[in-house]
Amino acid sequence: MDPFPAAAAALRRLLRDAAFTGAGAASAVAALGPVVASVAGPDRAARVLRRWADRERRRITRFTGEEVLHPVTEPGDDTTPGEWRWLARHAGTGFVLGVVAVLLPLAALSAAVVPLYWWAVPGDEPVVTLYPITSWALALTSPLLAVGYLLLALLLVPPAARWQAATGRRLLTPPGATGLEQRVAELTASRAAALEAHGAELRRIERDLHDGTQNRLVAVAMHLGIVERALRRDPASALPLVLRAQDAATDALAGLREVVRAIYPPVLAERGLDGAVAGLVAACPVPCTLTASALRRAPTAVESAAYFVIAEALTNVARHSGASHASVHLACDSTLVVEVRDDGRGGADEGGGSGLAGIRRRVEAFDGTALLTSPPGGPTLLRVELPCGS
């Protein structure tokens, strides 16, 4: 096994763990907000705590790839005892762990570069690591100190990140006794997402018809009106105008077909989901591969949702990721699983206007799940699961 890729992967994991735990220091300070808000009354403190607890749930979900369920109560309602216990524990330990997780890698980096600049520092103010650097002999020992810091970081930071995530998950997950209520809440949210997705789809169709097809049909009507006047005045001059009207009608029909394809791509009915996705993969500007395992036909609406999810995901890869390669994997048994990966820069954010929020709404409308894993530096994985029924 080549040690260099393994070492690079270990360093990437270390940086990811350090970033998670370091962000925990900031959230530990911010989590004191409910304490400050308690001056304005317990209701205000409960709302602030619920808001920060929900942010912590999303942060742990992004880090672990496993969703931390929200309690049944809506944000702003009564908080759970676990949230208050999380506040007390996280405020006490999150800051300390975060500072240690950030300082150890920084100390390793600082010690590693000491030989590059120690000689340029005035002698009466020498560079100080664990000891003042006053000679080349001491400077050349600094990289060894950097190795020690790095080993210490590899030893302490990953367990700290896992402990912080596990503790947060245990305290912020609703008690098992509320499982049925939690499912009811999830179904209610799924119904709301379905209504929202349906409304958004209707608005998109209306916009496409209004901005595209309607304008083209108006152009056809105008051309036919011009043809009518030409026929009355000079029938010999009407032929070019008839041809122009025919072109406008052809253009209007093409636009109408585009709208129809956006509602339900005919290629899905003709070639199935894998064949339709193969067309998307072939058209992707980034080199992309498609794999499918145990794939069977799913309900039409589910296949259509998966098709549009993949289309949007590949568009994001081409526009935002800076990737050199992407891949799409499909599998379907009782659940249709879609995975879109790329080796780009990572850091994808649902709030960044990249269409990821729309993907999540479309998936939740089918009571499915969408999980995005995109650490800074990549790679990025979008995993979508859509129930197929029996």
Side-chain angles (χ1 to χ4, degrees):
M1 177 179 178
D2 191 343
F4 295 105
L11 286 177
R12 283 196 299 269
R13 288 193 296 269
L14 172 63
L15 293 177
R16 180 171 178 265
D17 292 342
F20 172 77
T21 314
S27 70
V29 175
L32 294 176
V35 178
V36 178
S38 62
V39 177
D43 291 341
R44 174 64 176 171
R47 287 194 297 270
V48 174
L49 174 58
R50 170 55 55 81
R51 185 162 59 247
W52 281 107
D54 286 343
R55 291 184 181 182
E56 184 70 8
R57 289 185 181 96
R58 291 192 293 271
R59 193 173 76 92
I60 295 173
T61 297
R62 287 193 299 269
F63 177 71
T64 62
E66 298 178 3
E67 184 179 7
V68 180
L69 296 178
H70 291 251
V72 175
T73 55
E74 296 294 331
D77 291 346
D78 293 339
T79 56
T80 64
E83 289 174 337
W84 287 105
R85 291 196 297 272
W86 166 80
L87 173 65
R89 181 168 296 187
H90 190 61
T93 62
F95 182 79
V96 175
L97 291 177
V99 169
V100 171
V102 171
L103 287 183
L104 282 176
L106 288 179
L109 177 63
S110 176
V113 300
V114 163
L116 301 179
Y117 70 90
W118 77 273
W119 48 269
V121 177
D124 55 345
E125 297 180 2
V127 175
V128 177
T129 54
L130 286 181
Y131 44 82
I133 305 298
T134 57
S135 67
W136 275 108
L138 292 174
L140 293 177
T141 63
S142 186
L144 299 177
L145 185 61
V147 173
Y149 280 132
L150 184 60
L151 292 176
L152 193 60
L154 290 170
L155 182 66
L156 296 180
V157 173
R162 290 193 297 268
W163 179 84
Q164 188 176 96
T167 301
R169 177 181 297 279
R170 178 169 55 83
L171 295 176
L172 295 176
T173 298
T178 64
L180 180 58
E181 296 177 353
Q182 182 68 33
R183 182 57 181 160
V184 171
E186 290 174 355
L187 292 174
T188 302
S190 175
R191 177 171 172 263
L195 293 174
E196 182 179 357
H198 178 67
E201 191 71 8
L202 290 178
R203 290 191 295 271
R204 182 191 63 77
I205 295 171
E206 189 277 334
R207 184 174 61 251
D208 291 345
L209 289 173
H210 181 273
D211 296 343
T213 306
Q214 177 177 284
N215 291 340
R216 293 184 175 99
L217 291 175
V218 169
V220 172
M222 292 176 59
H223 282 97
L224 291 176
I226 295 173
V227 169
E228 180 187 7
R229 289 192 293 271
L231 287 172
R232 293 179 185 277
R233 293 195 309 267
D234 183 11
S237 65
L239 180 59
L241 298 176
V242 170
L243 295 176
R244 191 177 302 172
Q246 183 182 26
D247 292 340
T250 302
D251 189 36
L253 287 174
L256 187 58
R257 279 194 291 268
E258 288 297 324
V259 174
V260 172
R261 289 192 189 100
I263 298 173
Y264 179 75
V267 69
L268 277 175
E270 298 168 0
R271 302 171 57 188
L273 180 61
D274 52 343
V277 173
L280 294 175
V281 167
C284 182
V286 177
C288 188
T289 56
L290 170 65
T291 58
S293 59
L295 189 64
R296 62 179 180 85
R297 293 306 298 260
T300 300
V302 174
E303 287 191 344
S304 178
Y307 177 87
F308 286 116
V309 164
I310 295 170
E312 183 65 36
L314 291 180
T315 299
N316 289 338
V317 170
R319 290 180 178 176
H320 307 297
S321 71
S324 60
H325 184 266
S327 64
V328 178
H329 177 70
L330 300 173
C332 181
D333 187 8
S334 60
T335 300
L336 175 59
V337 178
V338 175
E339 292 185 347
V340 181
R341 302 173 185 266
D342 70 73
D343 60 358
R345 66 177 66 93
D349 180 15
E350 288 191 27
S354 58
L356 294 171
I359 288 176
R360 185 173 297 278
R361 285 195 301 270
R362 185 184 291 273
V363 170
E364 289 176 348
F366 291 86
D367 197 22
T369 60
L371 179 62
L372 176 68
T373 305
S374 183
T380 295
L381 169 63
L382 174 65
R383 180 182 173 89
V384 169
E385 297 184 1
L386 294 166
C388 290
S390 56

